[in-house]
């Protein structure tokens, strides 16, 4: 029926004919006119741009489309108490007739002169015409004024946009355009958890910087490597108090946070330094119970919440536990960030493979080079101080090179690089250990056993709600079998343009149970003092898996996509399941990173990646030729034929 319908409206019929593509604008026009009436304006102009006069605008600035239904990129609308008119050029005449209902007249022109002439004919002498000055350029305002000058009609500047007041579901500002949940949705989600709590808290106090940053979809630069800003938040069922340094709040942020109203989804801005006084004022009221996460609340705030019956505690606030589970959009963009990040690490490893034999490069130059490789679209710098360590320095798990301890890289020593990037869509963290010469048998076995631990965790299937600490030993078992171990944790949560160490996800006893949508690093290692260090770190997302009998089971899907050093892998130690996992992982690298390398036209890097992701063959297998050799043989045979 839709395919055969008339595509354009016909307002001359009774009743009018409207195609299915037309938008009903009766309600928004009624509400806009209700706002216009007490302001004593005879007309209101709605342009097609934003406050920065951009050619391309955000969905939240598409006021013309919201009011008219017309989604073309050029147009001006005017609403009076009785009429509504759209002006657009010939590119969009048919589109306008298909998208607008009969509340609107179409003027097949786009000039300000045409709009002004119509206004003069419709607005009574002495009448005022409202407009948002943020949406007018200097020239636009001047052109309207000139055309209205002798008509006894005038423009009235109205900075509070009337369409925004009508637009109840106006899109919020997503940082980088990458957030699925608006801050209002997040506030309601957290309030729902407050309501469901049997202890009935009246407020939630947020003290960790990432809590407020996540809640409001905002980022800052107050601390190194993590995009946070100094803040506290007190969230009640009816109010939102945001404690920040007031001089940093722009008018745009005030609009974004709805600071001009006093409803339950309106943010009240308060001075960062007033948090103690304001919190005490709140606590002094009767019937108060404040929920805090004890892991990230300082004592100064804690001691104010007295007596004891006014306090509710949990290890982590509901913001931290909710933030740990990424929504579908967050999962996808974090995956995408790791694909792009893999290109940077591949470029580093390929470059080092070439230059280290020359004996000129150092740990510091390698660290700087990987940061340089990451400086592309949406990158906001490193996510932590790069660990670039060779030989005995790599035996120090958290070593970073300085001018004093910097060593030259050589083909005779193992090299460990642990690095990450902050991107607008995600945070990355990856560690690779390589050897450019001939590793010792002990180095090769230790590396392989670290890899076995990484694979064993990565391929594990477990019930939803399993704690990481209960499977952490899988990362150590292959090392324990020969009397080796490591002294650091096995993994930590990772955020979306947040902290590279994002609590409370991970494999330690104080981490929360694993759930679908969480991201964690998996990073077993081994460190021989004064000799060498090994760590293999990947980031993985927890995904559902189908089992033969059970339901609600999960596993890990690795999103770090850089091959491991082939010369350090002893395949005779790997089980068939581990070897199968490794080859499957390499196929994923070839597919996803290969496509990215093609798009960036990085042909040399792609050749390097393909060589280093050739499938492994189990020792003793009759299929002993590599995939590259097999391709060569087939091509030769084809040539003979």
């Amino acid at each position: 029926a839709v395919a055969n319908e008339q595509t354009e409206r016909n307002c001359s019929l009774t009743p009018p004919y409207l195609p299915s593509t037309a938008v009903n604008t009766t309600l928004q026009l009624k509400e806009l006119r209700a706002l216009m009436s007490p302001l004593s304006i005879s007309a209101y102009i709605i342009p097609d741009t934003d406050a920065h006069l951009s050619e391309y605008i955000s969905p939240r600035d598409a006021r013309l489309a919201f009011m008219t239904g017309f989604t073309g990129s050029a147009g001006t609308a005017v609403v009076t108490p009785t009429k509504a008119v759209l002006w657009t050029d010939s590119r969009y005449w048919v589109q306008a007739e298909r998208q607008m209902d009969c509340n609107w007249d179409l003027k097949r022109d786009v000039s300000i002169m045409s709009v002004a002439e119509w206004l003069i004919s419709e607005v009574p002498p002495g009448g005022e015409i409202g407009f948002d000055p943020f949406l007018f350029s200097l020239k636009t305002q001047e052109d309207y004024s000139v055309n209205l000058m002798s008509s006894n009609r005038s423009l009235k500047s109205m900075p509070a946009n009337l369409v925004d007041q009508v637009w109840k579901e106006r899109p919020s500002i997503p940082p980088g355009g990458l957030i699925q949940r608006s801050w209002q949705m997040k506030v309601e989600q957290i309030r729902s958890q407050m309501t469901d709590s049997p202890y009935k808290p009246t407020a939630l106090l947020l003290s960790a910087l990432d809590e407020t940053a996540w809640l409001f979809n905002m980022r800052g630069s107050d601390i190194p490597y993590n995009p946070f800003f100094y803040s506290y938040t007190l969230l009640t069922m009816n109010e939102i108090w945001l404690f920040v340094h007031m001089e940093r709040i722009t008018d745009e942020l005030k609009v974004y946070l709805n600071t001009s109203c006093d409803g339950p989804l309106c943010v009240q801005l308060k001075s960062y330094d007033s948090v103690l006084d304001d919190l005490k004022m709140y606590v002094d009221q009767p019937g108060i119970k404040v929920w805090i996460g004890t892991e990230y609340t300082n004592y100064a705030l804690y001691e104010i919440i007295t007596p004891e019956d006014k306090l509710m505690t949990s290890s982590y606030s509901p913001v931290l536990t909710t933030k740990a589970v990424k929504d579908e959009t967050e999962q996808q963009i974090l995956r995408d960030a790791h694909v792009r990040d893999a290109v940077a690490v591949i470029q580093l490893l390929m470059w080092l493979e070439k230059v280290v034999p020359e004996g000129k490069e150092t740990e510091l130059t390698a660290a700087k080079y990987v940061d340089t490789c990451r400086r592309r679209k949406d990158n906001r710098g490193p996510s932590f101080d790069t660990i670039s360590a060779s030989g005995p320095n790599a035996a120090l798990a958290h070593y970073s090179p300085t001018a004093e301890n910097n060593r030259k890289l050589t083909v005779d020593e193992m090299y460990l690089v642990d690095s990450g990037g902050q991107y607008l869509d995600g945070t990355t963290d990856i560690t690779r250990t390589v050897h450019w010469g001939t590793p010792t048998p002990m180095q090769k076995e230790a590396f392989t056993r670290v890899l076995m631990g990484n694979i064993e965790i990565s391929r594990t299937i477990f019930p939803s709600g399993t704690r990481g600490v209960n499977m952490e030993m899988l990362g150590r078992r292959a090392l324990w079998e020969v009397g080796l171990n490591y002294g650091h944790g096995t993994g930590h949560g990772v955020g979306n343009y947040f902290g590279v160490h994002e609590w409370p996800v991970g494999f330690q006893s104080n981490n929360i149970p694993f759930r679908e949508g969480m991201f964690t690093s998996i990073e077993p290692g081994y460190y021989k003092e004064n000799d060498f260090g090994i760590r293999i770190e990947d980031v993985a997302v927890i995904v559902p898996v189908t089992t033969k009998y059970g339901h609600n089971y999960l596993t890990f899907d690795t999103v770090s996509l850089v091959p491991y050093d082939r010369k350090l892998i002893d395949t005779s130690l790997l089980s068939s399941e581990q070897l199968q996992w490794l080859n499957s992982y390499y196929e994923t690298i070839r597919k996803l990173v290969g496509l990215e390398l093609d798009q960036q036209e990085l042909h040399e890097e792609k050749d390097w990646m393909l060589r280093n992701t050739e499938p492994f063959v189990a020792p003793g297998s009759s299929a002993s030729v590599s995939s590259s050799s097999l391709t060569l043989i087939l091509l030769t045979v084809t040539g003979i034929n």
Side-chain angles (χ1 to χ4, degrees):
V2 172
N4 295 321
E5 73 173 0
Q6 182 180 336
T7 59
E8 297 178 25
R9 64 180 182 167
N10 188 339
C11 298
S12 64
L13 298 177
T14 305
Y17 169 78
L18 295 175
S20 59
T21 52
V23 176
N24 187 339
T25 63
T26 301
L27 180 60
Q28 50 261 55
L29 281 171
K30 179 181 178 181
E31 292 179 349
L32 179 64
R33 286 167 173 148
L35 291 175
M36 291 169 57
S37 180
L39 298 173
S40 300
I41 55 175
S42 300
Y44 190 69
I45 302 174
I46 306 168
D48 60 2
T49 189
D50 64 12
H52 304 281
L53 310 177
S54 306
E55 177 182 4
Y56 301 104
I57 61 173
S58 162
R60 68 178 275 103
D61 290 314
R63 300 174 179 89
L64 186 71
F66 169 72
M67 287 302 305
T68 67
F70 168 68
T71 60
S73 63
T76 300
V78 175
V79 177
T80 72
T82 59
K83 294 184 178 180
V85 182
L86 171 74
W87 283 259
T88 190
D89 62 43
S90 58
R91 295 173 298 168
Y92 297 113
W93 291 344
V94 172
Q95 180 178 338
E97 295 286 4
R98 291 177 176 177
Q99 292 182 319
M100 294 194 303
D101 64 11
C102 290
N103 287 311
W104 290 88
D105 292 330
L106 175 62
K107 299 294 183 182
R108 300 171 190 267
D109 195 340
V110 76
S111 68
I112 289 178
M113 180 182 295
S114 173
V115 179
E117 289 176 350
W118 186 88
L119 286 168
I120 292 170
S121 68
E122 295 294 326
V123 174
E128 292 185 310
I129 301 159
F131 76 102
D132 181 349
F134 286 101
L135 305 183
F136 272 37
S137 68
L138 297 179
K139 189 176 186 308
T140 299
Q141 196 278 337
E142 181 182 7
D143 287 348
Y144 273 107
S145 295
V146 167
N147 280 279
L148 295 172
M149 185 181 301
S150 58
S151 69
N152 195 23
R153 283 89 171 168
S154 61
L155 294 175
K156 181 178 182 179
S157 177
M158 306 174 65
N161 193 284
L162 299 187
V163 174
D164 294 351
Q165 297 176 49
V166 170
W167 199 352
K168 302 295 191 302
E169 298 180 3
R170 184 185 177 206
S172 60
I173 302 173
L178 302 171
I179 302 299
Q180 180 173 323
R181 290 176 283 187
S182 69
W183 70 259
Q184 292 92 337
M185 292 170 63
K186 291 179 176 180
V187 165
E188 295 292 12
Q189 189 175 7
I190 300 304
R191 281 176 170 159
S192 177
Q193 294 183 53
M194 294 166 63
T195 300
D196 292 342
S197 169
Y199 301 101
K200 302 303 178 186
T202 62
L204 173 67
L205 177 63
L206 304 179
S207 184
L209 295 184
D210 58 338
E211 294 176 310
T212 291
W214 177 86
L215 186 66
F216 295 110
N217 289 337
M218 292 167 58
R219 304 293 188 271
S221 56
D222 288 358
I223 62 175
Y225 303 115
N226 294 311
F228 304 147
F229 55 96
Y230 294 118
S231 58
Y232 299 100
T233 297
L234 186 72
L235 175 66
T236 75
M237 300 306 296
N238 300 306
E239 293 181 307
I240 308 168
W241 295 1
L242 173 58
F243 298 88
V244 290
H245 293 95
M246 299 293 289
E247 66 275 9
R248 309 172 69 185
I249 301 298
T250 64
D251 290 339
E252 183 181 23
L253 274 176
K254 291 179 181 178
V255 172
Y256 169 66
L257 294 170
N258 293 343
T259 61
S260 61
C261 56
D262 58 3
L265 290 176
C266 304
V267 177
Q268 299 179 39
L269 296 176
K270 294 180 177 290
S271 170
Y272 180 81
D273 296 324
S274 73
V275 62
L276 292 179
D277 292 338
D278 285 329
L279 180 59
K280 189 176 188 307
M281 179 183 66
Y282 177 79
V283 172
D284 285 344
Q285 300 177 85
I288 295 300
K289 186 179 288 289
V290 180
W291 188 355
I292 66 169
T294 56
E295 290 286 335
Y296 289 100
T297 301
N298 61 51
Y299 189 77
L301 299 178
Y302 170 81
E303 67 177 351
I304 287 178
I305 308 173
T306 55
E308 191 71 18
D309 61 4
K310 292 194 173 185
L311 182 68
M312 172 185 164
T313 65
S314 58
S315 295
Y316 304 105
S317 77
V319 166
L320 285 182
T321 55
T322 303
K323 175 167 65 70
V325 179
K326 308 325 185 206
D327 61 36
E328 291 182 1
T329 298
E330 291 168 331
Q331 290 182 42
Q332 185 57 56
I333 62 178
L334 192 44
R335 286 177 179 271
D336 294 343
H338 279 83
V339 172
R340 298 196 310 277
D341 193 73
V343 174
V345 180
I346 287 172
Q347 288 177 314
L348 169 72
L349 296 178
M350 186 181 75
W351 176 73
L352 289 174
E353 194 175 273
K354 290 180 179 179
V355 301
V356 167
E358 300 173 0
K360 298 178 181 179
E361 303 306 329
T362 67
E363 295 167 336
L364 269 176
T365 57
K368 292 177 180 177
Y369 190 86
V370 72
D371 288 342
T372 300
C373 292
R374 285 191 169 98
R375 289 174 189 162
R376 50 173 57 90
K377 180 183 177 183
D378 294 337
N379 180 256
R380 292 298 181 267
S383 56
F384 57 94
D385 194 11
T386 298
I387 297 172
S388 175
S390 64
N393 284 345
L396 307 171
H398 292 97
Y399 164 90
S400 291
T402 65
E404 292 74 28
N405 59 22
N406 187 35
R407 301 177 76 248
K408 280 191 176 181
L409 305 179
T410 78
V411 296
D412 299 320
E413 295 180 328
M414 297 187 77
Y415 171 71
L416 184 156
V417 56
D418 184 352
S419 67
Q422 288 286 13
Y423 301 88
L424 289 179
D425 48 355
T427 302
T428 66
D429 184 5
I430 183 171
T431 307
R432 290 294 181 263
T433 305
V434 298
H435 199 303
W436 299 291
T438 303
T440 67
M442 196 272 179
Q443 288 173 335
K444 190 169 182 178
E445 179 177 1
F447 181 93
T448 304
R449 290 185 178 276
V450 171
L451 177 60
M452 292 165 67
N454 184 298
I455 294 174
E456 277 306 288
I457 291 179
S458 300
R459 60 182 292 271
T460 295
I461 296 173
F462 55 93
S464 178
T466 299
R467 291 183 174 273
V469 68
N470 294 333
M471 65 178 76
E472 196 259 2
M473 65 157 290
L474 295 174
R476 302 178 186 267
R477 184 170 60 183
L479 290 164
W480 286 354
E481 288 174 349
V482 292
L484 304 180
N485 204 355
Y486 54 94
H488 57 71
T490 301
H492 54 79
V494 178
N496 282 89
Y497 190 28
F498 263 105
V500 71
H501 301 128
E502 185 175 80
W503 285 80
V505 175
F507 293 88
Q508 299 186 40
S509 59
N510 57 347
N511 291 144
I512 61 177
F514 283 136
R515 290 175 53 196
E516 178 185 348
M518 292 179 172
F519 282 75
T520 183
S521 70
I522 301 172
E523 49 181 303
Y526 171 70
Y527 309 90
K528 185 177 181 182
E529 188 175 356
N530 295 320
D531 194 349
F532 64 88
I534 299 167
R535 184 160 63 252
I536 299 174
E537 178 184 18
D538 293 312
V539 173
V541 58
I542 298 170
V543 297
V545 64
T546 301
T547 62
K548 185 176 181 180
Y549 299 112
H551 302 284
N552 201 24
Y553 278 73
L554 305 171
T555 191
F556 298 98
D557 185 14
T558 302
V559 300
S560 300
L561 298 168
V562 177
Y564 313 116
D565 190 345
R566 298 181 74 86
K567 69 168 61 70
L568 286 170
I569 301 175
D570 182 356
T571 56
S572 68
L573 295 176
L574 301 179
S575 68
S576 59
E577 293 83 5
Q578 291 167 348
L579 197 62
Q580 181 181 359
W581 183 96
L582 184 57
N583 285 335
S584 176
Y585 173 59
Y586 276 10
E587 279 298 314
T588 301
I589 294 176
R590 285 177 165 237
K591 177 182 176 182
L592 298 180
V593 181
L595 179 61
E596 181 68 22
L597 291 168
D598 284 339
Q599 291 175 345
Q600 296 189 34
E601 298 184 348
L602 296 173
H603 306 301
E604 187 177 359
E605 286 84 349
K606 184 175 182 181
D607 290 341
W608 185 94
M609 181 272 292
L610 291 175
R611 288 196 306 273
N612 284 275
T613 54
E614 291 179 351
F616 289 91
V617 178
S621 169
S622 59
S624 58
V625 295
S626 70
S627 62
S628 60
S629 299
L630 181 60
T631 302
L632 180 60
I633 292 170
L634 290 174
L635 288 173
T636 302
V637 171
T638 302
I640 292 174
N641 291 339

